[in-house]
């Protein structure tokens, strides 16, 4: 049986500052080596100053993944030399001297399957190495410490996955969960990284490191299973090793350095005293946690009668569910959900489009209410939505500027209907004998009004005029 | 001008207008110029010291508010960062390291108008107890310049005892404040772990070390503690002492106090003159109304081994950043693979640091940790339990600070094991986090002997009161320099 386990690194991108200093956690906007200070550069004499908010957010993740949360958490030093590591040790957590990382054993459901979480730990991200140069021979390695010290949560799973599809489903659910918690923006480059370990029946465990995105993770796992199976089928032994993911060639390569031989000489980080997380603090954190995706979905279905598939899509994406939460009332909920899932999702389908969108939840509320009151047709609503995303103007001004308002004035509509009746003799006669065919005439009226006629009023008037 | 006055006397005189800070600093700098070529306490001097003193005199004259130090000359061990000042740790590795920030203790002393006359010598990265491991040469004991001043804060002790400054800040990882204080006949005080911020102190063994003052009197030590103690957001290990005034009631006496004499610290290998000074101190304390009784701390016999194992492990990690990528710059990185580059770069570190780094790579490593590092932690925990039990019945503990007299420069440098054993009486306070103080007590054959008192955690006030009481019973000859 194929066994796959994951180690997922998730940056707490929504925090203001780094894990041990006041430099920005959002290092992405800076020139290299600017977002640094004596602490995150490990200058002689500097000491780590623990960011309590990071501990709280990491604990929230642990609770959301049903992990046990210890009463006391501690930090350890992982000692190794690497140019991206200013102190030549990383401050991280460890459970070999008792469970002291932010989260112990937990679970996450993927469909009907339960994936076991081994532990969750809080640690500092190293700096970034940037490779430049045309060939391997004249390669230059540049170091950017802007990222050094960014709060990172490592989520380790048991080897409970059997195929890449399960891995992908898990990662989708996990990244929705992290985004919904408000702790991280998984779409940011480098915010989510992963290592995987893969073994097939009769083979040794192989670790794959350096996988920069969830998309590549699935590919890497797939490649590795195929590689191992082909070795196995030719009776070549699968050795226990660490392999690196080459994201240009999309293959795994055996690591030249023997990382499994490294001795990290873990010991307690004396500069950070153990932190007590009392039950009342855990309760407080729990109360501050946003509603879970599954509970949202259930609420949408049971309270607003939104179809389960729509509720599923809506609840799992924080961007859309936040809009929904702000825009909806008990009366318009279904309409708001409908606008989001049928129109909006197609219009803002990329990160860039979402970020540049000027749409506010109040716009959505106005649109839904206007559809319900017959002020605007669904068709026109989509055009209005498109315009609002671009300009951020109010619905009323978009309606008047683009002439999108429904023709709901009875006398005006009557004139149009009369002229249609006079031109469509045959259809009128048909409608008299077969009421079903009246829809043809409704369509004609719509055509004449460019879809702006209030459909209900049109039908009522037609019925009145064709006895 | 009398450069021999205490810190409190200095501040009283300058405050009252009887003494000019500028004159005092100028005379101090002059004395340093005259005698430090011989003593080698200082690694670098503050060439703006006199100007800074002049500004303070002006402030006093114009009635402006002046900090409690009133321009007092202080020397700073060269492992404590002063902004825009070289901080070398007496190592070639940090030969050109200019600290871009102030240690918290420096910030606090600047606010109190202290003047830092210079940075003083130490064993490289504070690893040693004689200053012989300074990359810039040893300091000499003012009582007899053929002898070591103790260490690692040797420069601090020399500068105070030779009147090159009024007080000094050192750091104490296993006795590094108390040992040179004892060897040079000054007061040396290591507070409870967490009482003074370590932010800006370049780490050697961060879980047990503390900054501590070296002073002429116990009162001065209490005065210094008042100025530099307190919770510090930049050091998560600092503890809240709720604005305790350590000077107030320092003369409360020790009547009725129970003092334990640590049996293991007056046993085998102790110099007879040190033993008799200790016995004398005990009888003095009894004369002041304390009751003294011998006690045993069984784990003391393993304490030095545990101390070296733990400090080597932490040093191996704390000093790992000196990989020559950011400090050193001796040679070009071209053509080196990263690990071999580090290996070569590490040659900049001196023999004692190298020895401890190698040890620090070994004792916590997989396959050896159980035999060494984890066992050392067990000793530390057991020793802490033992001493806590003793403090249930006793208020204070007493021992000689160092079991032997100062030794000659070069006498023990090739015998690291003999050097290690000199730490036997001082490391317990570090391993257990307890406050301890060394008081100048006697002179034997022209060489100083110090007595150590240890108190329970956060009982620093009691410790200083007892030290003050004992100090008042002692009259010592003046340093012959
Ligand atoms: Zn920083």
């Amino acid at each position: 049986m194929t066994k796959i386990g994951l180690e997922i690194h998730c940056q707490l991108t929504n925090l203001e500052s780094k894990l041990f200093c006041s430099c920005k956690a959002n290092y992405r906007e800076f020139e290299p080596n600017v977002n640094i200070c004596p602490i995150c550069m490990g200058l002689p004499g500097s000491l780590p100053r623990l960011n309590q908010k990071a501990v709280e957010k990491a604990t929230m993740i642990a609770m959301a993944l049903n992990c046990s949360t210890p009463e006391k958490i501690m930090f350890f030093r992982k000692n190794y030399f690497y140019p991206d590591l200013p102190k030549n040790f990383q401050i991280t957590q460890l459970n070999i001297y008792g469970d002291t990382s932010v989260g112990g054993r937990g679970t996450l459901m993927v469909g009907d399957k339960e994936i076991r979480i081994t532990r969750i730990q809080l640690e500092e991200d190293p700096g970034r190495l940037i490779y430049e140069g045309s060939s391997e021979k004249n390669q230059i390695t540049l170091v950017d410490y802007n990222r050094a010290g960014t709060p990172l949560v490592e989520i380790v799973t048991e080897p409970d996955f059997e195929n890449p599809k399960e891995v992908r489903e898990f990662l989708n659910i996990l990244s929705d969960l992290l985004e919904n918690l408000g702790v991280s923006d998984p779409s940011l480059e480098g915010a989510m990284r992963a290592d995987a370990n893969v073994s097939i029946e009769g083979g040794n465990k192989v670790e794959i490191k350096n996988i920069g995105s969830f998309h590549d993770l699935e590919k890497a796992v797939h490649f590795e299973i195929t590689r191992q199976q082909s070795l196995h089928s030719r009776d070549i032994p699968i050795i226990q090793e660490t392999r690196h993911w080459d994201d240009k060639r999309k293959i795994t390569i055996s690591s030249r350095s023997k990382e499994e031989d490294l001795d990290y000489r873990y010991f307690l980080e004396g500069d950070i005293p153990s932190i007590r997380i009392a039950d009342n603090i855990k309760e407080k954190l729990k109360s501050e946690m946003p509603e879970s995706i599954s509970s949202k979905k259930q609420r949408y279905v049971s309270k607003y009668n939104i179809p389960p598939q729509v509720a599923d899509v809506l609840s799992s994406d924080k961007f859309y569910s936040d809009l929904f939460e702000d825009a909806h009332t008990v009366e318009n909920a279904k309409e708001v959900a409908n606008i989001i899932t049928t129109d909006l999702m197609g219009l803002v389908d990329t990160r860039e489009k979402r970020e540049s969108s000027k749409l506010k939840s109040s716009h959505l509320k106005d649109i839904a209410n206007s559809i319900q009151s017959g002020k605007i047709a669904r068709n026109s609503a989509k055009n209005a939505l498109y315009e609002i995303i671009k300009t951020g103007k109010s619905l009323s001004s978009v309606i008047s500027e683009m002439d999108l308002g429904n023709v709901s004035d009875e006398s005006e509509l009557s004139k149009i209907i009369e002229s249609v009746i006079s031109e469509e003799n045959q259809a009128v006669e048909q409608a008299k004998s077969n009421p079903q065919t009246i829809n043809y005439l409704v369509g004609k009226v719509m055509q004449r009004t460019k879809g702006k006629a209030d459909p209900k009023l049109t039908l009522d008037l037609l019925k009145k005029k064709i006895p | 001008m009398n450069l021999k006055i205490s810190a409190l006397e200095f501040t009283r005189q300058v405050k009252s207008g009887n003494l000019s800070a500028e004159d005092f600093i100028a005379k101090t700098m002059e004395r340093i110029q005259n005698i430090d070529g011989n003593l080698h306490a200082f690694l670098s001097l503050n060439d703006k010291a006199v100007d800074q003193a002049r500004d303070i005199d002006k402030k006093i004259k114009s009635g402006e508010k002046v900090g409690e130090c009133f321009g007092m000359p202080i020397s700073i061990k060269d492992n404590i960062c002063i902004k825009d000042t070289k901080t070398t740790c007496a190592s070639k590795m940090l030969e050109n390291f200019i600290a871009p920030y102030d240690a918290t203790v420096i910030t606090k002393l600047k606010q109190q108008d202290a003047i830092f006359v210079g940075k003083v010598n130490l064993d490289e990265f504070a690893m040693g107890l004689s200053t012989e491991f300074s990359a810039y040469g040893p300091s000499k004991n003012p009582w007899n310049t053929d002898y070591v001043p103790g260490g690692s804060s040797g420069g601090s002790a020399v500068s105070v005892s030779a009147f090159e400054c009024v007080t000094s800040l050192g750091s104490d990882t296993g006795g590094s404040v108390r040992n040179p204080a004892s060897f040079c006949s000054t007061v040396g005080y290591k507070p409870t772990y967490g009482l003074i911020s370590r932010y800006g102190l370049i780490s050697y063994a961060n879980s047990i070390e503390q900054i501590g003052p070296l002073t002429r009197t116990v009162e001065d030590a209490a005065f210094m503690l008042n100025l530099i103690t307190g919770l510090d957001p930049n050091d998560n290990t600092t503890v809240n002492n709720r604005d305790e005034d350590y000077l107030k009631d320092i003369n409360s006496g020790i009547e009725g106090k129970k003092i334990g004499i640590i049996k293991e610290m007056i046993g085998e290998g102790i110099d007879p003159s040190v033993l008799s000074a200790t016995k004398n101190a005990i009888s003095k304390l009894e004369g002041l109304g304390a009751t003294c009784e011998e006690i045993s701390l069984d784990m003391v016999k393993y304490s030095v081994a545990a101390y070296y194992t733990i400090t080597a492990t932490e040093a191996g990690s704390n000093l790992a950043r000196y990989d020559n990528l950011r400090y050193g710059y001796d040679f070009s990185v071209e053509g080196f693979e990263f690990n071999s580059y580090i290996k070569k770069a590490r040659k900049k570190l001196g023999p004692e640091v190298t020895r401890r780094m190698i040890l620090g790579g070994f004792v916590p490593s997989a396959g050896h940790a159980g035999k060494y590092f984890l066992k050392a932690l067990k000793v530390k925990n057991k020793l802490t339990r033992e001493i806590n039990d003793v403090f249930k019945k006793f208020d204070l503990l007493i021992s000689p600070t160092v079991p032997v007299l100062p030794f000659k420069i070069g006498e023990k440098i090739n015998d690291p094991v003999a050097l290690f054993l000199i730490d036997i009486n001082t490391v317990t306070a570090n391993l257990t986090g307890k406050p301890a103080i060394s008081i100048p007590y006697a002179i034997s054959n022209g060489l100083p002997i110090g007595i150590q008192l240890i108190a329970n955690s956060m009982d620093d006030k009691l410790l200083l009161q007892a030290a003050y009481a004992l100090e008042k019973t002692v009259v010592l000859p003046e340093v012959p320099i």
Side-chain angles (χ1 to χ4, degrees):
Chain A
M1 196 173 77
T2 303
K3 281 185 178 174
I4 306 157
L6 302 176
E7 276 178 31
I8 294 137
H9 290 98
C10 160
Q11 288 178 339
L12 301 178
T13 60
N14 295 356
L15 282 176
E16 187 59 35
S17 52
K18 289 183 179 178
L19 189 50
F20 300 118
C21 64
S22 47
C23 293
K24 293 263 176 280
N26 179 10
Y27 57 87
R28 290 172 178 81
E29 62 197 50
F30 295 97
E31 293 284 299
N33 297 311
V34 169
N35 184 37
I36 53 171
C37 72
I39 296 173
C40 58
M41 283 301 287
L43 286 198
S46 67
L47 296 172
R49 193 177 54 209
L50 182 63
N51 180 346
Q52 292 292 340
K53 283 264 179 315
V55 176
E56 291 179 9
K57 298 292 179 197
T59 303
M60 275 187 185
I61 295 175
M63 294 195 291
L65 292 173
N66 310 303
C67 293
S68 59
T69 49
E71 201 182 319
K72 220 163 69 171
I73 71 161
M74 294 183 194
F75 287 89
F76 287 79
R77 288 190 186 175
K78 180 180 185 179
N79 294 284
Y80 63 101
F81 287 95
Y82 214 64
D84 63 6
L85 209 54
K87 303 183 291 290
N88 282 326
F89 62 80
Q90 181 195 31
I91 302 177
T92 179
Q93 296 193 293
L94 190 71
N95 281 354
I96 59 173
Y97 303 116
D99 289 351
T100 56
S101 75
V102 288
R105 299 201 160 270
T107 55
L108 183 63
M109 293 303 291
V110 176
D112 295 333
K113 185 165 179 173
E114 184 182 88
I115 300 297
R116 291 170 300 162
I117 309 290
T118 315
R119 67 170 182 279
I120 296 178
Q121 61 195 47
L122 181 59
E123 61 191 26
E124 54 178 339
D125 211 351
R128 242 156 40 90
L129 295 184
I130 299 149
Y131 301 98
E132 278 188 2
S134 47
S135 72
E136 202 154 311
K137 268 194 180 148
N138 61 25
Q139 198 173 58
I140 303 167
T141 309
L142 301 167
V143 194
D144 176 9
Y145 291 109
N146 283 349
R147 192 178 76 179
T150 300
L152 200 61
V153 167
E154 179 172 323
I155 300 164
V156 183
T157 78
E158 293 290 317
D160 287 348
F161 305 95
E162 288 165 51
N163 55 57
K165 183 171 160 281
E166 284 180 2
V167 170
R168 187 187 62 220
E169 283 169 2
F170 173 83
L171 294 174
N172 285 343
I173 290 170
L174 180 68
S175 72
D176 287 344
L177 179 146
L178 294 170
E179 192 175 15
N180 183 61
L181 267 182
V183 297
S184 184
D185 180 351
S187 68
L188 286 173
E189 195 240 315
M192 294 281 195
R193 309 187 302 264
D195 298 340
N197 55 71
V198 178
S199 64
I200 63 167
E201 189 87 56
N204 281 306
K205 190 168 89 175
V206 174
E207 298 223 39
I208 321 167
K209 297 213 178 247
N210 197 32
I211 309 168
S213 74
F214 281 2
H215 184 68
D216 275 5
L217 179 60
E218 189 190 351
K219 282 189 181 162
V221 168
H222 182 78
F223 175 89
E224 189 53 29
I225 293 170
T226 314
R227 187 188 71 88
Q228 291 183 18
Q229 280 167 345
S230 103
L231 287 178
H232 192 63
S233 66
R234 288 177 282 152
D235 285 334
I236 303 170
I238 299 158
I239 53 164
Q240 186 171 343
E241 63 172 343
T242 300
R243 298 177 71 83
H244 277 239
W245 175 244
D246 181 335
D247 67 349
K248 288 204 183 77
R249 291 189 284 169
K250 307 290 176 202
I251 56 171
T252 66
I253 313 163
S254 186
S255 299
R256 271 163 293 171
S257 66
K258 291 254 179 283
E259 292 197 29
E260 58 269 37
D261 292 343
L262 273 182
D263 177 1
Y264 293 118
R265 293 181 287 128
Y266 284 102
F267 67 89
L268 198 66
E269 172 53 275
D271 289 334
I272 306 169
S274 62
I275 300 129
R276 245 170 220 298
I277 306 183
D279 287 342
N280 61 325
I281 294 174
K282 286 181 197 166
E283 285 310 313
K284 187 177 154 274
L285 288 177
K286 227 172 228 163
S287 71
E288 287 168 5
M289 274 164 70
E291 188 182 9
S292 75
I293 290 171
S294 57
S295 142
K296 262 188 211 169
K297 180 186 165 184
Q298 211 176 12
R299 179 162 56 89
Y300 295 168
V301 173
S302 61
K303 193 167 173 193
Y304 308 122
N305 208 16
I306 293 171
Q309 300 91 316
V310 175
D312 202 16
V313 178
L314 194 59
S315 60
S316 60
D317 190 309
K318 188 171 160 48
F319 178 77
Y320 297 121
S321 67
D322 281 355
L323 276 174
F324 175 80
E325 295 294 342
D326 288 346
H328 87 279
T329 61
V330 178
E331 291 77 32
N332 72 7
K334 244 181 138 167
E335 192 61 58
V336 173
N338 190 35
I339 297 168
I340 292 175
T341 51
T342 56
D343 297 334
L344 185 63
M345 283 185 178
L347 292 172
V348 290
D349 54 352
T350 65
R351 185 190 164 76
E352 290 71 36
K353 286 186 195 163
R354 277 185 188 192
E355 270 172 6
S356 59
S357 161
K358 298 208 163 65
L359 178 85
K360 300 220 158 51
S361 53
S362 56
H363 289 127
L364 275 179
K365 188 181 208 155
D366 290 345
I367 296 172
N369 292 346
S370 299
I371 291 173
Q372 284 188 323
S373 67
K375 258 199 223 149
I376 184 169
R378 283 225 169 80
N379 240 350
S380 310
K382 188 171 182 179
N383 294 335
L385 193 61
Y386 180 78
E387 187 63 17
I388 289 168
I389 287 169
K390 270 203 315 202
T391 63
K393 287 180 184 163
S394 72
L395 178 65
S396 56
S397 57
V398 168
I399 288 175
S400 67
E401 275 170 32
M402 298 177 69
D403 194 20
L404 293 173
N406 273 352
V407 182
S408 49
D409 182 72
E410 216 180 300
S411 63
E412 197 185 330
L413 196 55
S414 285
K415 275 184 210 152
I416 296 167
I417 287 172
E418 271 157 25
S419 103
V420 168
I421 288 176
S422 67
E423 286 165 23
E424 300 280 348
N425 281 328
Q426 204 184 335
V428 171
E429 287 312 311
Q430 217 169 354
K432 279 179 185 163
S433 54
N434 181 6
Q436 295 290 318
T437 60
I438 199 161
N439 280 336
Y440 173 79
L441 291 169
V442 173
K444 281 286 161 195
V445 175
M446 285 295 174
Q447 229 170 39
R448 198 67 68 85
T449 59
K450 295 191 185 113
K452 293 184 293 176
D454 184 333
K456 196 170 171 290
L457 187 62
T458 307
L459 190 63
D460 288 350
L461 287 174
L462 271 170
K463 277 184 180 162
K464 243 187 244 170
K465 290 183 197 292
I466 305 169
Chain B
M1 180 172 296
N2 181 10
L3 292 178
K4 301 174 183 177
I5 53 178
S6 72
L8 286 177
E9 185 58 30
F10 172 88
T11 57
R12 267 194 293 271
Q13 287 199 23
V14 177
K15 190 180 182 180
S16 66
N18 290 338
L19 180 64
S20 137
E22 183 185 351
D23 288 352
F24 196 91
I25 293 285
K27 273 276 178 297
T28 299
M29 299 312 283
E30 196 183 303
R31 181 170 172 86
I32 295 171
Q33 295 295 346
N34 288 339
I35 66 169
D36 205 60
N38 186 24
L39 295 175
H40 194 233
F42 285 85
L43 292 177
S44 60
L45 291 174
N46 173 9
D47 52 17
K48 296 195 188 72
V50 176
D51 297 342
Q52 290 164 355
R54 190 175 306 128
D55 288 345
I56 287 163
D57 280 340
K58 267 188 215 151
K59 277 196 339 195
I60 295 169
K61 273 206 188 102
S62 67
E64 266 180 74
K65 196 172 158 31
V66 181
E68 286 199 49
C69 287
F70 292 95
M72 177 168 72
I74 301 180
S75 72
I76 302 291
K77 189 178 184 179
D78 207 18
N79 61 350
I80 297 172
C81 292
I82 303 182
K83 191 171 192 284
D84 300 330
T85 302
K86 260 191 199 175
T87 302
T88 68
C89 283
S91 176
K92 290 284 177 192
M93 185 60 90
L94 292 182
E95 197 171 6
N96 296 309
F97 174 62
I98 295 172
Y101 62 98
D102 279 328
T104 299
V105 291
I106 297 299
T107 306
K108 284 178 181 256
L109 288 175
K110 277 184 177 171
Q111 285 162 357
Q112 296 298 341
D113 285 316
I115 290 178
F116 308 116
V117 286
K119 304 296 287 289
V120 281
N121 202 11
L122 62 150
D123 291 285
E124 184 175 2
F125 281 102
M127 296 177 195
L129 39 84
S130 67
T131 69
E132 288 168 289
F133 291 122
S134 165
Y136 305 102
S139 301
K140 289 169 189 171
N141 194 319
W143 289 81
N144 184 334
T145 51
D146 290 338
Y147 284 74
V148 300
S152 64
S153 311
S156 291
V158 173
S159 62
V160 172
S161 77
F163 311 114
E164 294 175 301
C165 60
V166 175
T167 68
S168 184
L169 286 188
S171 66
D172 191 314
T173 310
S176 281
V177 161
R178 290 160 287 154
N179 170 295
S182 172
F183 276 15
C184 294
S185 203
T186 75
V187 172
Y189 165 47
K190 181 203 88 78
T192 298
Y193 187 79
L195 221 46
I196 297 176
S197 167
R198 288 180 295 110
Y199 185 73
L201 167 68
I202 297 179
S203 290
Y204 154 30
N206 51 302
S207 76
I208 58 173
E209 65 202 1
Q210 276 288 282
I211 289 174
L214 292 97
T215 56
R216 301 210 204 297
T217 68
V218 174
E219 269 188 306
D220 283 0
F223 170 64
M224 289 297 285
L225 181 62
N226 275 350
L227 299 182
I228 60 179
T229 185
L231 266 183
D232 179 10
N234 285 324
D235 178 354
N236 286 176
T237 64
T238 49
V239 292
N240 191 353
N241 54 350
R242 291 175 289 280
D243 297 322
E244 181 85 87
D245 182 348
Y246 294 93
L247 258 181
K248 193 167 173 262
D249 304 327
I250 197 160
N251 57 0
S252 294
I254 49 161
E255 199 167 343
K257 298 289 181 240
K258 291 194 74 181
I259 301 176
I261 307 155
I262 306 168
K263 195 175 80 184
E264 289 77 7
M265 296 187 185
I266 50 170
E268 214 178 311
I270 190 168
D271 186 286
S273 63
V274 175
L275 183 61
S276 84
T278 309
K279 284 184 172 160
N280 187 281
I282 291 163
S283 66
K284 288 268 181 61
L285 289 167
E286 282 175 331
L288 293 167
T291 51
C292 299
E293 196 181 308
E294 208 166 84
I295 61 106
S296 172
L297 291 173
D298 199 34
M299 280 297 121
V300 164
K301 61 177 178 281
Y302 304 121
S303 63
V304 175
Y307 166 79
Y308 277 95
T309 306
I310 290 166
T311 53
T313 298
E314 294 189 5
S317 174
N318 286 323
L319 274 65
R321 71 195 67 186
Y322 308 119
D323 53 13
N324 207 52
L325 285 184
R326 291 161 287 251
Y327 318 96
Y329 300 112
D330 226 7
F331 52 94
S332 161
V333 299
E334 282 311 316
F336 279 100
E337 185 274 326
F338 184 64
N339 285 303
S340 65
Y341 177 75
I342 289 178
K343 208 183 276 174
K344 187 165 160 57
R346 286 296 177 95
K347 296 223 163 83
K348 273 206 142 180
L349 297 170
E352 184 61 18
V353 173
T354 304
R355 194 151 38 224
R356 296 196 198 188
M357 295 288 283
I358 291 170
L359 195 62
F362 176 74
V363 290
S365 62
H368 301 288
K371 213 168 159 190
Y372 299 104
F373 179 60
L374 298 178
K375 202 158 258 180
L377 289 180
K378 264 186 202 155
V379 170
K380 180 178 187 260
N381 292 339
K382 215 165 169 196
L383 180 64
T384 306
R385 276 201 301 275
E386 274 182 10
I387 203 167
N388 284 342
D389 281 345
V390 168
F391 278 123
K392 282 178 192 153
K393 294 187 207 106
F394 292 84
D395 302 297
L396 296 153
L397 301 175
I398 188 170
S399 78
T401 308
V402 188
V404 296
L405 293 171
F407 47 90
K408 280 190 170 163
I409 292 171
E411 188 185 328
K412 293 188 177 169
I413 193 158
N414 292 320
D415 191 354
V417 177
L419 280 176
F420 287 1
L421 286 172
I422 291 173
D423 290 326
I424 182 117
N425 290 3
T426 44
V427 297
T428 291
N430 302 86
L431 289 173
T432 59
K434 307 297 179 195
I437 192 166
S438 176
I439 311 138
Y441 195 76
I443 304 295
S444 169
N445 290 323
L447 294 169
I449 295 170
I451 293 295
Q452 172 178 247
L453 292 171
I454 306 174
N456 205 355
S457 302
M458 303 306 279
D459 268 352
D460 293 68
K461 189 158 182 164
L462 171 68
L463 178 74
L464 290 161
Q465 288 169 346
Y468 180 85
L470 184 60
E471 179 190 45
K472 288 292 167 216
T473 70
V474 185
V475 182
L476 291 175
E478 238 182 46
V479 65
I481 194 153

